Amino acid sequence: MIRVKHIFTFFLISLMVSAFSADNENRRTVEYQGDLYATTFDVPAKFVGKYSGDKTGYLTLNADGTGMYQYDVFGYAPPSCVRQAIKMEWGFILDKEGNIVKNKRQYGYSYPMLLKSKGTTWFQGCRNEVMMDYILEKEDGLHVSSSDDWFKAKP
């Protein structure tokens, strides 16, 4: 009887851990400027994909929470900073209730997100491993606030 009880208890704990992991597998905690932020890449499909403009830069958000950030113009950086696309993880910031933060703006909405470098090239001239950016939802599509022309048309 004791064995059955232990097996049943182990089974229940395993189910609870699995359920908890499933809820959190698309979430990360990211430190930015000394504060911890809950983020998720479990977002509507409209946000996933490539944002680009007339120049060579772009932002790619993959469904698995990875992506790439390529500056149009890399700008000032120390010689040790390799001027290349930044491999990164991304996530939209969550509020205390676990909902994606969405700010009403005159043009539509802004969605704050954190981008975290996963390589040797960091953001802003290799000075910041993590950068906050925003997806701006406007009538004509989705824009990236850190670029003057990165855009993803509405599907």
Side-chain angles (χ1 to χ4, degrees):
M1 182 67 179
I2 292 176
R3 279 191 166 169
V4 172
K5 184 178 179 182
H6 287 294
I7 291 171
F8 182 72
T9 303
F10 176 76
F11 178 71
L12 282 177
I13 290 171
S14 296
L15 278 176
M16 289 170 44
V17 167
S18 295
F20 180 76
S21 296
D23 287 344
N24 291 309
E25 68 185 26
N26 297 329
R27 294 182 180 205
R28 298 185 184 108
T29 300
V30 179
E31 184 177 351
Y32 175 69
Q33 296 185 344
D35 293 320
L36 295 177
Y37 291 85
T39 69
T40 185
F41 53 92
D42 183 15
V43 299
K46 68 181 179 181
F47 294 111
V48 175
K50 187 172 185 177
Y51 299 76
S52 60
D54 294 331
K55 300 173 218 128
T56 59
Y58 61 88
L59 169 67
T60 301
L61 302 179
N62 299 320
D64 67 357
T66 64
M68 297 290 281
Y69 190 103
Q70 173 68 54
Y71 283 102
D72 286 323
V73 177
F74 204 86
Y76 173 77
S80 60
C81 184
V82 180
R83 288 161 164 73
Q84 65 185 4
I86 300 169
K87 296 176 187 169
M88 56 162 212
E89 292 179 339
W90 63 273
F92 281 37
I93 295 176
L94 298 171
D95 64 18
K96 290 181 180 173
E97 289 77 41
N99 300 310
I100 293 172
V101 173
K102 177 179 177 179
N103 301 304
K104 179 73 175 133
R105 303 287 185 224
Q106 188 174 16
Y107 55 77
Y109 293 95
S110 69
Y111 300 85
M113 63 179 176
L114 291 173
L115 312 176
K116 182 176 182 179
S117 172
K118 298 309 288 178
T120 56
T121 303
W122 289 5
F123 299 98
Q124 299 162 323
C126 288
R127 290 186 305 276
N128 296 305
E129 182 182 17
V130 178
M131 180 174 82
M132 185 178 290
D133 210 340
Y134 297 83
I135 297 296
L136 311 175
E137 187 172 21
K138 301 180 179 183
E139 284 186 22
D140 63 344
L142 301 170
H143 300 256
V144 180
S145 69
S146 63
S147 172
D148 59 354
D149 71 344
W150 293 355
F151 170 78
K152 183 175 182 249
K154 283 187 174 179

